[in-house]
Amino acid sequence: MSEPSSSISPELYPEQYELQGQPAGRPVQFRRRAFLQLLGTGLVVLCVNRRASAQAETGEKSGRPSGQSRPANLDAWLQIATDGTITFFTGKTEVGQNIRTSLTQAVAEELPAPIESIRAVMGDTELTPYDAGTFGSRSTPDMGLQLRRVAATAREALLDLAASLWSVDRGSLTVADGKVLHASSQRSIGFGELTQGRKLVRTISSETTVKLATQWSVAGTSVPKVDGREYVCGRHRYASDMVRPGMLFGRVLRPPSYGATLDSLETSRAAAMPGVRVVRDGDFVGVVAPSSHVAAQAVAALKATWKTRAQPSEGQLFQELRGGATPPESGLDREPDGGLALKRTYTIAYIAHVPLEPRAAVAEWKDGKLTVWTGSQRPFGIRDSELTKAFGLGPERLRVIVPDTGSGYGGKHTGLAAVEAARLARAMDQPVKIIWTREEEFTWAYFRPAGVIDIASRVRADGTLATWDFHNYNSGSAGIEPPYAIPDPQTKFHRADSPLPQGSYRSLAAAANHFARESHIDELAGELKIDPLEFRLRNIKNPRLLAVVEAGARAFSWGGAKTAGRGRGLAVGIDKGGHVATFAEVAVEAESGRVSVTRVVQAFDCGAVVNPDHLKLQLEGAVVQGLGGALFEAVHFENGRILNPHMASYRVPRFSDAPSVEIILVDRNDLPSAGAGETGIVGIAPALGNAICDATGLRLRSLPMAPDGLHRPA
């Protein structure tokens, strides 16, 4: 089968537009060597550009699909029922970041109204306004601000209604606790009684005045998680929990390796199983059964032979990413004036997202309309691209509903399971559920990009940076700019052919670029025999970054007495508006080489803090997740096959790996809120690498750094 090219609109997929560096409005053309996500006999369901980096979560700044604009009418965003229940609507999805709570706080703050009177409708393409997706740490700075404007507009409309109802001066009215109050007559009226369930007719404007963060009373506080009891008690329902009347269960036939095509197929054994039907839709092959267990047995009973092709393996990865170019020669040169020049190369392995909930979808066709319930970060993208392309239907005949999703980390931008379930449901004329196995999730989802990073730098004798030349191959440009005062720093991202499917991962390429840069900074400090903290302070001019570095250093007690066998390291950075400083301590066992992370302190400034406790939890989670990619996570592959597609063979952080974590929030309520879901992960790998070097003298320049413990060179 030939490999087709396709194009993606930069308005519909702003992330791929960013990857390619294409001018706005020009479709991105996929190369013939694009990775083909094959299902069954070779159905192209996902085409991930092998030359693309991980810059996949850039927010909505790149625009929206033609005809998809953010509505200005208030009732599209907020409605008030007669019982006073306030419902707000947003296309954002809940993938574990607890955005439902912070967005509820935004509405409660501006109306104002009790938290318990507010409910959110999220990620439903039929009910919510268009949204490009939940990514790029944009939910708080973008959607949070939008909903504050929505609620402020509603507040003004309610005041107008009450003034008219009571024939009083509008200026004599106040709003509090879900009611409009008239102090002089001691009258009050609830929002629901006032609106009588009628829609509020107002236009939302970017000029709408909202409260300053210094005036917050609900936002800025640690409001408990909305519906938290439902989560703790196991009553909350995710996409994998969805059940529809008459629902069947599906599984899809997968090839043994990327790029394989079906040569022959024998279906008799599977088709003979009670209640089983084999579905072939063009090049797509799947089975449907009355239970997930029988579906698994049926797909295993299919006898398929495949045509495969040779592909690059792990051993050739970094040469592949360079396109065969010769790497620069690493080395250190001391200069006559006491300064030095340093060239180093750093490498990053592919890693998997490993979401708690694998991809899942339920699809139902009814009266010529398709409804899909699926865990995703981009419900409108799935509707307007993947489902539209697969079935040739307009958006009015497609509905995507995203129940809360059991984590995504940037890995659930695509709707593969949704398309699969919809194909099987159409064939059966009954609802069908698909839940990917863990092996499918490891193999057929995309990965955080691997990368090669070359840095050449010069530093003066006084410890100030003189030149900076930074080249990233494949992993992306997020976080590539240095936060230091360097005259005319040179940074460049080089697109490359990727042997594996790759895409967005928490923080995009910022984690890779911070690892290389902050490791290199420590190397420079070590060669000049300057304390790593002092070296950074000499080169940082950004006052917000200085503040978090100093706050973290104080909490960590940097410079205090060291414990034998332990090492300390730090890393700093700026990403997505967040300023972060991460300090880590490690212990290294002399005989086994086992690395234990004993303590992490992270200082963080993301502007005005909306919910301190939940922000701390996000940052703690980022630190623990980052331990995996730093120390032991790596996808191993050979000739188009993933070699470790199981939890038994793919190491993720465990409870025993978790260190003591202390989060220091530098709350800047004089500044707008920035996103915080991603920035917390960028500093942990370099901080650990620097701490390992401090403890052992070993400088590790490849992620993961210690998959089997440390091994000193012979």
Side-chain angles (χ1 to χ4, degrees):
M1 183 184 73
S2 64
E3 297 181 17
S5 71
S6 62
S7 64
I8 283 185
S9 161
E11 288 79 20
L12 183 59
Y13 282 93
E15 60 271 26
Q16 276 88 346
Y17 155 67
E18 294 283 340
L19 289 177
Q20 296 288 331
Q22 299 274 354
R26 180 183 299 172
V28 175
Q29 295 296 327
F30 278 117
R31 294 180 39 147
R32 186 177 180 278
R33 288 190 64 195
F35 166 76
L36 298 181
Q37 171 64 60
L38 297 172
L39 300 176
T41 59
L43 171 69
V44 181
V45 176
L46 167 66
C47 184
V48 179
N49 186 352
R50 292 181 63 183
R51 294 177 64 89
S53 77
Q55 288 277 99
E57 296 184 355
T58 53
E60 299 184 20
K61 63 184 180 181
S62 297
R64 302 179 177 89
S66 177
Q68 295 282 16
S69 60
R70 179 170 282 178
N73 51 307
L74 176 59
D75 64 283
W77 295 92
L78 185 142
Q79 297 175 13
I80 301 175
T82 54
D83 65 357
T85 300
I86 300 156
T87 302
F88 70 88
F89 302 85
T90 172
K92 296 297 181 190
T93 62
E94 177 60 74
V95 290
Q97 78 277 44
N98 200 27
I99 198 64
R100 177 182 284 107
T101 300
S102 60
L103 294 181
T104 300
Q105 286 180 264
V107 173
E109 181 65 59
E110 295 293 341
L111 271 173
I115 286 282
E116 57 271 16
S117 70
I118 302 171
R119 62 184 290 265
V121 173
M122 305 178 70
D124 184 331
T125 61
E126 192 164 281
L127 300 180
T128 65
Y130 170 81
D131 189 88
T134 304
F135 47 65
S137 293
R138 297 300 305 161
S139 293
T140 294
D142 178 63
M143 187 53 62
L145 177 58
Q146 171 68 8
L147 288 175
R148 289 172 62 200
R149 289 171 176 155
V150 165
T153 303
R155 180 187 68 231
E156 298 306 306
L158 291 165
L159 286 168
D160 285 343
L161 283 175
S164 176
L165 176 68
W166 291 332
S167 299
V168 299
D169 178 54
R170 188 178 183 281
S172 65
L173 301 175
T174 57
V175 183
D177 201 32
K179 299 176 182 178
V180 179
L181 312 171
H182 186 241
S184 61
S185 65
Q186 297 186 337
R187 284 180 288 184
S188 68
I189 187 169
F191 292 167
E193 185 182 358
L194 183 58
T195 64
Q196 292 294 300
R198 296 187 300 268
K199 293 181 179 179
L200 296 173
V201 180
R202 280 292 175 97
T203 299
I204 303 160
S205 168
S206 59
E207 304 302 316
T208 301
T209 301
V210 297
K211 294 180 182 179
L212 299 174
T214 53
Q215 301 171 314
W216 287 349
S217 59
V218 180
T221 66
S222 295
V223 169
K225 184 183 182 82
V226 171
D227 297 333
R229 184 177 295 275
E230 301 297 306
Y231 292 89
V232 172
C233 296
R235 292 194 294 264
H236 198 78
R237 291 294 173 259
Y238 297 83
S240 52
D241 297 315
M242 287 299 304
V243 176
R244 299 295 295 167
M247 187 179 75
L248 300 171
F249 297 82
R251 289 288 294 273
V252 173
L253 178 65
R254 311 287 183 189
S257 61
Y258 300 134
T261 56
L262 192 62
D263 189 35
S264 66
L265 178 67
E266 169 57 51
T267 65
S268 58
R269 284 184 57 215
M273 294 180 176
V276 170
R277 178 173 167 184
V278 179
V279 176
R280 188 161 187 173
D281 181 5
D283 289 331
F284 171 85
V285 178
V287 299
V288 179
S291 72
S292 57
H293 176 66
V294 174
Q297 290 180 316
V299 81
L302 295 173
K303 291 185 177 181
T305 58
W306 303 86
K307 292 180 180 179
T308 60
R309 57 184 175 85
Q311 298 183 63
S313 297
E314 188 175 359
Q316 298 89 45
L317 173 60
F318 300 122
Q319 182 180 355
E320 277 283 312
L321 296 183
R322 287 187 183 280
T326 303
E329 186 175 340
S330 292
L332 171 70
D333 294 318
R334 299 198 175 272
E335 300 186 342
D337 60 1
L340 56 87
L342 184 65
K343 294 181 180 180
R344 290 287 187 256
T345 294
Y346 307 84
T347 60
I348 295 90
Y350 293 106
I351 63 175
H353 294 82
V354 201
L356 186 62
E357 178 191 40
R359 280 158 178 75
V362 174
E364 182 177 67
W365 292 85
K366 189 174 183 180
D367 300 327
K369 180 177 180 179
L370 170 64
T371 301
V372 176
W373 293 261
T374 189
S376 172
Q377 296 172 243
R378 300 179 57 256
F380 287 90
I382 291 173
R383 183 195 70 178
D384 296 339
S385 178
E386 291 165 84
L387 293 177
T388 294
K389 182 177 180 180
F391 302 107
L393 300 177
E396 72 281 356
R397 295 174 61 191
L398 297 168
R399 182 181 184 183
V400 177
I401 303 170
V402 177
D404 285 9
T405 301
S407 72
Y409 312 121
K412 292 183 178 176
H413 286 196
T414 54
L416 296 179
V419 175
E420 294 166 358
R423 288 188 180 279
L424 296 176
R426 183 175 63 174
M428 300 301 298
D429 197 25
Q430 286 179 258
V432 172
K433 176 190 282 189
I434 278 185
I435 302 176
W436 280 21
T437 65
R438 182 59 63 182
E439 182 171 352
E440 286 176 307
E441 183 69 38
F442 268 117
T443 304
W444 298 107
Y446 53 85
F447 304 107
R448 186 181 81 174
V452 180
I453 298 173
D454 298 324
I455 306 179
S457 65
R458 286 183 55 254
V459 62
R460 304 178 187 92
D462 64 358
T464 57
L465 292 161
T467 64
W468 187 260
D469 193 25
F470 187 106
H471 294 261
N472 177 306
Y473 294 85
N474 188 64
S475 59
S477 59
I480 200 171
E481 297 299 328
Y484 302 107
I486 307 170
D488 193 27
Q490 301 297 307
T491 59
K492 188 170 183 180
F493 162 57
H494 304 267
R495 294 186 296 271
D497 275 327
S498 170
L500 298 186
Q502 58 183 28
S504 173
Y505 185 98
R506 191 176 194 172
S507 86
L508 310 176
N513 288 326
H514 278 69
F515 168 69
R517 185 188 66 239
E518 291 300 296
S519 298
H520 195 85
I521 290 292
D522 250 50
E523 292 198 60
L524 291 170
E527 293 294 340
L528 289 173
K529 299 189 179 346
I530 300 175
D531 176 83
L533 173 61
E534 173 60 27
F535 184 75
R536 287 170 172 81
L537 293 176
R538 292 186 193 185
N539 288 282
I540 295 174
K541 302 301 180 186
N542 182 311
R544 293 179 67 182
L545 188 58
L546 279 172
V548 295
V549 171
E550 291 168 351
R554 284 193 301 270
F556 190 77
S557 298
W558 185 273
K562 290 176 59 176
T563 303
R566 298 195 176 192
R568 298 177 298 192
L570 76 150
V572 308
I574 302 172
D575 187 45
K576 298 179 178 64
H579 296 64
V580 65
T582 306
F583 296 77
E585 180 185 71
V586 302
V588 180
E589 295 179 3
E591 291 188 8
S592 67
R594 181 176 182 271
V595 176
S596 299
V597 184
T598 58
R599 184 182 178 218
V600 174
V601 172
Q602 186 171 91
F604 188 62
D605 163 12
C606 62
V609 175
V610 176
N611 191 310
D613 283 355
H614 293 165
L615 174 56
K616 287 182 179 181
L617 290 174
Q618 281 230 5
L619 296 171
E620 289 173 5
V623 166
V624 173
Q625 183 179 14
L627 297 179
L631 296 177
F632 34 73
E633 284 189 56
V635 173
H636 302 302
F637 62 100
E638 182 178 2
N639 197 25
R641 292 180 58 248
I642 303 301
L643 301 180
N644 55 334
H646 308 96
M647 296 297 290
S649 54
Y650 185 94
R651 174 89 153 82
V652 296
R654 303 165 181 158
F655 284 112
S656 59
D657 296 313
S660 164
V661 180
E662 181 181 0
I663 302 296
I664 310 297
L665 299 182
V666 180
D667 188 2
R668 293 294 304 270
N669 62 10
D670 57 324
L671 296 171
S673 302
E678 299 182 271
T679 308
I681 201 173
V682 302
I684 187 63
L688 292 179
N690 294 336
I692 290 169
C693 186
D694 183 52
T696 66
L698 289 175
R699 172 55 62 185
L700 303 173
R701 303 186 183 94
S702 295
L703 295 182
M705 292 181 284
D708 303 305
L710 296 182
H711 302 285
R712 293 181 179 273

